[in-house]
Every structure is written in structure tokens, then in C-alpha cells.
Amino acid sequence: VEMEKVYLNGYASAFGRAEFNANAGQIVSEKWSTGSFVHASGMFGDIDHNHDGFRDIPKGNNLAFMNRWNYQGKKMESQFGINGYWDQKFGGQNGFLPNTNDGKYGVTMDSKHIDAFAKTGFFLKNPNNSIGIVYHAKYQELNSKFGNRTFEGHETRGYLNAIYDGAIGSLDHKIKMGLSAVFNNIAQQVDSLISNRIEYIPGAFGEYTYTGMRLTTVSGARLDYHNLFGWQLSPRLHLKYLLTQETDLRITAGKGWRVPNYMIDNISLLASSKNWV
């Protein structure tokens, strides 16, 4: 991947925001290259343009970094790296500071995140066929406070996906099929209300694509087994028909599913004094 050998950028504004960015890229060898990225920023000003006694923009700091590597060989290619950040923000009434008991209403959020990722592709004898594997692992932690109310949560997640991509006869008929696995350990707590769960989700999927002169279709389905909610089938169908060179007709149908995280999905409601049931 082409990028600058060294790139430095700084910024400051009259509102009290300052940031620094640094990127560095290096070609290690004919097959290996790497890139590193660092970001640091902070909001230091007390902004209250409407004079309502509350900050218009939260104060806080953010630090983020990423390092990634690329490998390009004759029979395989790969990219892997690590990414992380630490983000602290606090808002509320003017003059409010975290970890103080001065009677002022405030909101604080402290978020930490780190993840490692990789994807590997293998070229087969037929140039139209390949195998790809995607790996991802992450840990995230969030601690926040809304007045006297607290939210604490953390998530440990792992993901593995292997996919075969090929053609049947000609490039007009393409198929994809593969296997996936997800592990998720999530814990959330609002005041005395607790929601913890551990998920194991193995799955399989397949997809067929037909590309004609006017008609293009993508049809597929995936089947997952969730250790808490059982079997989940997710079919989908995409159709595109070219009416003229400027006009096409598209139809999409399908089904998906998601396990809701009702606490973090509705964290803004903690600004209310109502009890959660």
C-alpha cells in the first residue's frame, strides 16, 4: 500500500481543541511493507455559547494508534495489525470536574479498546479461484457516569471466517461458500441491573452470482447456531435488471438477526432519573 514515509499534522482552534497526527510507512522488502498511525487530541475549552450553564462541547482526551503489515507473495497475500484507543470525555454543568463531589451535574465516559486483525488470501491454480481467511479479536471496556447513575461494560470478542471464491465454467457464474465462528463475552451493568452473556455462534454460508447481459442476480443464505437462541437462517436475494443504459430495476429481499444490547443501545436514557426495569 502506497503512503507517505513520514506525515505529521498538527491542529489547534480557538474553541480549545488541539490534535496531533503522525503516519509513517516503510517498504521492508519486495514482499513486506508496514504502516504506523498515531492520533492524539484534546478538548480543553469551556464552551457555552447559549449561556444555559451547561457545556456545549464535552472536554476530554483521545489517544489512538494502529500498526499494520502487508505481505504480497506469488501464492498468497496477507494483511495483519493491531489497533487501539483510549478516549476520555466529560460534560455537564460548567465547572464540573470528574471525581469531585461539588454538587454539579456531570457526565463522564472512559472508553478503552484494543483489537488485532488479520486476513489471508491463497491463490489457487485457477486464477479465478481463491481461499480467504479473516481473523479478528478485540477487547472493549466502557465506564461512564450520568450524575449519580453509572454504566459499566466490557466485551471480549473473537471472529473467524473462511471463504472459498470461485467461478463455475465462466465468470458469468460465481460462487462463494464458507464457514464462520464467533465468540462473544459481554457484561453490562446499570446501577444494580446486570446483563451478562456468553455467545458461541458457528455458521456456514453460500452465495451464487449470475451476471448476464441485462440481468444480474445474487442469491445466498447463511445458517448459524446460537448457543442461547438456537438455529438462525438468513436468506437473501438481490436482482438487478438493466432496462436501458441509464435505467435499471433493483429488487432486494432478505432476513437478518441481531441480539440487542439494550443497555449500551440506550445509554443516553441514563440522563433521565427514571428507573430501568
Side-chain angles (χ1 to χ4, degrees):
V1 179
E2 293 185 3
M3 61 177 292
E4 301 92 350
K5 289 185 178 181
V6 177
Y7 174 82
L8 302 176
N9 170 268
Y11 169 83
S13 76
F15 292 101
R17 175 176 172 82
E19 69 175 60
F20 171 76
N21 302 284
N23 305 338
Q26 182 180 4
I27 298 176
V28 181
S29 67
E30 183 181 352
K31 297 181 179 180
W32 288 93
S33 62
T34 183
S36 299
F37 311 83
V38 175
H39 167 86
S41 62
M43 181 65 194
F44 308 102
D46 285 307
I47 309 300
D48 182 17
H49 285 309
N50 58 358
H51 306 293
D52 64 352
F54 286 79
R55 293 189 177 101
D56 298 340
I57 304 174
K59 300 178 71 174
N61 305 298
N62 179 277
L63 177 63
F65 72 92
M66 182 174 70
N67 175 242
R68 70 183 182 202
W69 288 78
N70 279 281
Y71 173 82
Q72 187 69 49
K74 293 183 178 180
K75 295 184 178 181
M76 65 168 288
E77 62 182 4
S78 180
Q79 182 181 108
F80 59 91
I82 187 170
N83 171 58
Y85 68 80
W86 178 33
D87 187 51
Q88 289 183 309
K89 287 185 171 62
F90 64 93
Q93 285 184 272
N94 296 334
F96 166 78
L97 294 174
N99 303 316
T100 59
N101 190 18
D102 56 5
K104 295 183 177 180
Y105 181 85
V107 175
T108 63
M109 303 191 79
D110 187 346
S111 179
K112 301 179 181 70
H113 172 102
I114 187 166
D115 70 89
F117 58 89
K119 52 185 178 181
T120 306
F122 300 92
F123 309 121
L124 304 181
K125 289 183 178 181
N126 187 330
N128 298 322
N129 300 343
S130 63
I131 296 176
I133 304 177
V134 178
Y135 326 78
H136 187 223
K138 81 164 185 178
Y139 175 79
Q140 175 127 7
E141 179 182 305
L142 174 63
N143 297 295
S144 60
K145 194 170 183 179
F146 294 73
N148 295 323
R149 312 190 67 180
T150 60
F151 170 87
E152 296 179 359
H154 66 78
E155 179 183 20
T156 304
R157 180 181 176 88
Y159 173 75
L160 176 65
N161 185 51
I163 182 170
Y164 168 80
D165 192 342
I168 305 175
S170 68
L171 294 179
D172 293 340
H173 304 272
K174 294 182 178 180
I175 59 169
K176 293 181 180 179
M177 61 183 65
L179 302 172
S180 66
V182 176
F183 166 79
N184 195 31
N185 182 356
I186 187 168
Q188 301 176 90
Q189 181 173 354
V190 168
D191 300 331
S192 61
L193 190 63
I194 298 175
S195 175
N196 300 338
R197 72 177 187 272
I198 297 178
E199 300 173 300
Y200 302 95
I201 315 169
F205 58 91
E207 181 182 281
Y208 167 72
T209 302
Y210 168 73
T211 305
M213 293 293 294
R214 288 183 175 270
L215 178 66
T216 300
T217 67
V218 180
S219 57
R222 67 171 297 123
L223 181 65
D224 297 288
Y225 179 77
H226 196 290
N227 62 304
L228 301 178
F229 301 103
W231 294 100
Q232 304 289 333
L233 177 64
S234 306
R236 68 166 184 159
L237 176 66
H238 301 273
L239 300 175
K240 184 178 77 170
Y241 187 78
L242 188 64
L243 299 174
T244 68
Q245 290 186 348
E246 293 81 20
T247 306
D248 57 51
L249 175 67
R250 298 172 186 251
I251 299 175
T252 299
K255 176 187 176 183
W257 62 276
R258 173 181 180 267
V259 181
N261 300 311
Y262 68 91
M263 290 187 181
I264 191 65
D265 289 347
N266 299 282
I267 192 172
S268 61
L269 297 180
L270 289 178
S272 164
S273 63
K274 294 182 179 180
N275 292 327
W276 283 30
V277 179

